[in-house]
Amino acid sequence: GESVGLHLPTLSVQEGDNSIINCAYSNSASDYFIWYKQESGKGPQFIIDIRSNMDKRQGQRVTVLLNKTVKHLSLQIAATQPGDSAVYFCAEKGNNDMRFGAGTRLTVKP
Amino acid sequence: ETGVTQSPTHLIKTRGQQVTLRCSSQSGHNTVSWYQQALGQGPQFIFQYYREEENGRGNFPPRFSGLQFPNYSSELNVNALELDDSALYLCASSLAGALRDTQYFGPGTRLTVL
């Protein structure tokens, strides 16, 4: 079946560097994507979303890019901080559900 | 914090038992979705409730059932527990029909089946 997937299971970056987390999706009809951050022992926390009529959306220190041609989206975190260490999920919103990838664990080194 | 609460926080059951998990949605939200998250994996959609009726279901057997109450809170019931049901159970609330019907998650209930 169609799914949402992430390119890398782990990512380690130096504090202050920028982080890029990638995600691929297979359903070309998908029109709404969300990035979540999940810290240990907590539920997923909404970071930023994007609809298919946009290529880019920016939040506070985060940017999501959507490339519909290759069905790829990415989450960019500027000036990564220790508090950004977590597992990041991209999710594809369906009619009544959301499909999540397996997640990328981001580790920020001091 | 999202305003979505779940209880209990942790639960230990034995195989064959039944369990009920509870969720209170964020104020103003009318839709509740439940997810199962196994260790090291992303959440898997179980079902969604809107206006007290099931409004979508993932690939889970009938022994997973739910309820939504008039105040939009919800329960997840699992019968005949199996070892593989051990997971973090998440509920998420949203406002159906909103321009951005983003789902906001609670902290989850950690279920261990022995």
Side-chain angles (χ1 to χ4, degrees):
Chain A
E2 294 174 325
S3 63
V4 180
L6 288 160
H7 289 287
L8 291 173
T10 62
L11 175 66
S12 182
V13 300
Q14 205 71 37
E15 182 179 356
D17 287 351
N18 296 333
S19 303
I20 300 176
I21 301 172
N22 296 302
C23 182
Y25 63 96
S26 56
N27 184 358
S28 57
S30 298
D31 64 358
Y32 184 35
F33 302 91
I34 308 104
W35 281 98
Y36 286 92
K37 170 187 179 183
Q38 187 173 26
E39 297 174 283
S40 181
K42 297 183 178 180
Q45 174 189 353
F46 171 85
I47 301 173
I48 192 168
D49 57 358
I50 189 167
R51 292 199 177 272
S52 59
N53 60 352
M54 302 175 70
D55 296 325
K56 178 180 180 179
R57 192 151 189 259
Q58 288 184 295
Q60 186 178 11
R61 283 201 305 119
V62 295
T63 301
V64 54
L65 300 177
L66 176 62
N67 185 329
K68 295 179 287 293
T69 302
V70 296
K71 290 183 283 187
H72 177 274
L73 68 159
S74 65
L75 175 70
Q76 300 179 2
I77 305 174
T80 313
Q81 303 169 359
D84 294 327
S85 293
V87 177
Y88 289 81
F89 294 98
C90 64
E92 171 191 4
K93 178 80 166 58
N95 286 334
N96 301 316
D97 68 340
M98 278 199 302
R99 292 177 286 276
F100 285 78
T104 292
R105 180 172 296 280
L106 174 65
T107 301
V108 181
K109 297 177 290 185
Chain B
E1 299 298 324
T2 62
V4 179
T5 61
Q6 293 185 242
S7 63
T9 305
H10 296 87
L11 199 55
I12 299 175
K13 291 285 190 178
T14 56
R15 193 170 46 183
Q17 285 188 311
Q18 178 266 343
V19 68
T20 297
L21 310 181
R22 296 178 175 82
C23 172
S24 292
S25 59
Q26 183 171 316
S27 178
H29 285 182
N30 56 16
T31 303
V32 174
S33 304
W34 286 92
Y35 293 81
Q36 180 194 66
Q37 186 177 23
L39 197 62
Q41 297 184 20
Q44 298 295 311
F45 175 70
I46 303 175
F47 44 55
Q48 182 181 83
Y49 276 82
Y50 172 64
R51 292 186 175 180
E52 302 178 52
E53 293 193 1
E54 189 176 290
N55 188 38
R57 189 178 184 93
N59 188 27
F60 280 81
R63 59 189 186 84
F64 285 79
S65 63
L67 286 173
Q68 187 181 31
F69 301 98
N71 66 355
Y72 303 124
S73 65
S74 177
E75 288 182 355
L76 164 65
N77 299 289
V78 187
N79 294 322
L81 284 167
E82 301 177 0
L83 297 180
D84 285 349
D85 295 333
S86 294
L88 181 67
Y89 288 85
L90 297 160
C91 81
S93 74
S94 56
L95 179 59
L99 183 62
R100 291 173 58 199
D101 56 344
T102 305
Q103 296 188 7
Y104 293 90
F105 285 84
T109 293
R110 171 73 61 187
L111 173 65
T112 301
V113 182
L114 302 177

